[in-house]
Every structure is written in C-alpha cells, then in structure tokens.
Amino acid sequence: MTRVAVNGLTGRMGGAVVETAADRDVEVVVGFATSDVERAHGVPVVHPDEAADALREYDVEVVVDFAAPEGALTVADACAETGVAMVVGTTGFDEDGLDHFAAVSAEVPLLKASNFSQGIQVLQRLVGEAVRALDDYDLELMESHHNGKVDAPSGTANSILATIQEERDVDPVYGREGHAPRDEDEIGVFARRAGDIRGEHELILAGNDEVLSLSHRAEDRGVFAAGALDAATWLVGRDAGQYEFGEVVDAS
C-alpha cells in the first residue's frame, strides 16, 4: 500500500483525494495545511513548515499537492530534503516558482500537471491536431471554474494555450471591451468563475462558414483526485527528474 501525504488537506481537493484513496491501494497517512486543526478527514494535519519531519515520521513515499503556491514550494523543499516523490496539482506559479520545481526535480521524482483528467490529456492532443489542420481558422478559448478559484486563466487553459502556440503564432487577448476589432493573429481567452463548477474548457475554431468546438467538462472532483493518485503510485521508485501526466495515461 502506497503511503501518501496530501498538501492542502483541508481544501476541496484534499478531501477528494482522501475520499478517492479509500477505494485504492493507497493510504493517506498525514496532511499539510495552515489551518489551525489537528485532524481533517480523519488524517493528522501538520503545518507545511514542519513537513520534512512529518515525512520522516510517517514514512511517506509520495506527496500529492493541491494547495496554494507558497505552501506547495515549502513542501517541495521538504520532499527534496527527505527524498520523497511529489505530485503537484497546484497552479498559478510564476517563473521563479517553476524554476524552483525544476531544482527540486534534480533531487526527487516530480510530476507537475495543471489537470489530472485523462480526458483533458486526450483533448490536448486533439487541440494540436485541429490547430495544425485548420491553420487559418479563428481561435477562441474559454474556461469556467468555481467561485473560489483564484488564478485566471486556469492552469489547464494556459496549458491548452501553450499547445496552440506550439502550432501557431497567436497572441492571447484576455477578454475584450469597447472598440476591440479582432486581429487575425490573436486568440481570445476568457475565464468565468461561478458557483461550484468543477472545470469546463472549450476551444472553438471558426472559419469557412463552420465552427469546430473541442470541449471537456469535469462532473466531479474525484476525476482529478483519481488521476493524481494514479500519478502518485506511478511515480514512486522512479529516478529524480520531471515527469508528465501524459506518461501516466499512456502507461495505463
């Protein structure tokens, strides 16, 4: 049974990971959070500043992270110190944060993904194929998430945008207002935040009197929790380095 620690245990995704782990050969033995609680979801809670000691005490094999950027980086340092693998689902990092993870991955196996849905992985591949084939169509990218999500656009939307930009030289325009004629080399990017939306992403390609829509909707957070746990069990025992969730999907 794989021994897992969850960073961001008291959050929405932390609870989903614990719930999903109950049906797998995985045991969540400790969690990290800044909340002033001793236990959450039946799991002991430790402050991220004390993560290194907790990783040793609970004999953790891999950390699954769905937290805030600052806390994720703190726990990443603890993983590097203790030799524990790390799966990172937190988004919203700046370039310094991404460089920080690159340094950590020199010490331990690390897998960072903006989305742990298998469907999103397939969508990414379809996006690349569609943009290559319809290279003169207009592009618009839209995403929707719950009202508590703080980064915009979402990490998944940014990943889709990066896939598009590998194929076409387009400049993102984040929303439009007033007199805003469309440039042929732009892509509109729109973020919506409302209610308890789990995650919706849609790319439309329009031209030649037709519209192609590529979209994905998550019905439950368990989708992401399951993918993160798949990544965690896959990552344990691998060499230090940076890995991609697509490798996990391809191996399944």
Side-chain angles (χ1 to χ4, degrees), residues 109-190:
L110 185 144
L111 190 156
K112 183 181 183 305
S114 60
N115 193 298
F116 286 97
S117 156
Q118 293 190 33
I120 284 290
Q121 288 299 309
V122 174
L123 177 66
Q124 289 274 30
R125 298 171 189 183
L126 294 174
V127 164
E129 182 177 349
V131 172
R132 281 193 302 274
L134 306 176
D135 58 359
D136 60 343
Y137 281 37
D138 292 335
L139 306 172
E140 297 281 282
L141 178 61
M142 293 150 282
E143 57 97 348
S144 303
H145 282 85
H146 58 84
N147 58 20
K149 188 170 179 63
V150 295
D151 57 316
S154 69
T156 302
N158 283 329
S159 294
I160 294 172
L161 178 60
T163 298
I164 293 167
Q165 290 178 315
E166 290 174 2
E167 304 296 336
R168 282 177 58 178
D169 184 17
V170 291
D171 296 319
V173 173
Y174 297 99
R176 297 188 180 89
E177 183 180 9
H179 183 69
R182 194 182 201 285
D183 186 88
E184 63 177 348
D185 293 324
E186 75 177 44
I187 175 172
V189 182
F190 305 90

Side-chain angles (χ1 to χ4, degrees), residues 222-242:
V223 170
F224 311 122
L229 288 172
D230 287 342
T233 55
W234 180 88
L235 194 63
V236 171
R238 296 189 181 272
D239 294 336
Q242 292 196 44

Side-chain angles (χ1 to χ4, degrees), residues 5-247:
V6 176
N7 189 30
L9 180 66
T10 58
R12 300 175 191 234
M13 280 304 304
V17 171
V18 174
E19 181 179 352
T20 303
D23 298 325
R24 292 165 173 257
D25 195 22
V26 172
E27 182 181 8
V28 178
V29 295
V30 67
F32 307 121
T34 56
S35 306
D36 188 20
V37 296
E38 294 184 356
R39 299 182 72 85
H41 312 295
V43 177
V45 177
V46 175
H47 194 281
D49 290 343
E50 301 171 359
D53 289 340
L55 293 176
R56 296 186 183 98
E57 177 183 352
Y58 289 92
D59 194 24
V60 173
E61 296 176 89
V62 58
V63 170
V64 173
D65 163 77
F66 287 102
E70 182 178 354
L73 294 172
T74 298
V75 173
D77 286 339
C79 288
E81 179 182 337
T82 57
V84 173
M86 186 173 188
V87 172
V88 182
T90 300
T91 59
F93 297 98
D94 57 19
E95 287 300 320
D96 288 341
L98 297 177
D99 290 343
H100 197 119
F101 281 121
V104 168
S105 71
E107 305 295 329
V108 296
L110 185 144
L111 190 156
K112 183 181 183 305
S114 60
N115 193 298
F116 286 97
S117 156
Q118 293 190 33
I120 284 290
Q121 288 299 309
V122 174
L123 177 66
Q124 289 274 30
R125 298 171 189 183
L126 294 174
V127 164
E129 182 177 349
V131 172
R132 281 193 302 274
L134 306 176
D135 58 359
D136 60 343
Y137 281 37
D138 292 335
L139 306 172
E140 297 281 282
L141 178 61
M142 293 150 282
E143 57 97 348
S144 303
H145 282 85
H146 58 84
N147 58 20
K149 188 170 179 63
V150 295
D151 57 316
S154 69
T156 302
N158 283 329
S159 294
I160 294 172
L161 178 60
T163 298
I164 293 167
Q165 290 178 315
E166 290 174 2
E167 304 296 336
R168 282 177 58 178
D169 184 17
V170 291
D171 296 319
V173 173
Y174 297 99
R176 297 188 180 89
E177 183 180 9
H179 183 69
R182 194 182 201 285
D183 186 88
E184 63 177 348
D185 293 324
E186 75 177 44
I187 175 172
V189 182
F190 305 90
R192 301 183 295 185
R193 299 290 177 264
D196 197 36
I197 300 172
R198 269 61 168 176
E200 298 178 0
H201 298 84
E202 180 184 21
L203 173 69
I204 62 170
L205 302 93
N208 191 39
D209 294 321
E210 62 181 351
V211 178
L212 172 64
S213 174
L214 300 174
S215 64
H216 177 273
R217 182 176 69 249
E219 304 288 2
D220 190 274
R221 290 187 183 87
V223 170
F224 311 122
L229 288 172
D230 287 342
T233 55
W234 180 88
L235 194 63
V236 171
R238 296 189 181 272
D239 294 336
Q242 292 196 44
Y243 296 88
E244 303 289 337
F245 184 57
E247 297 175 79

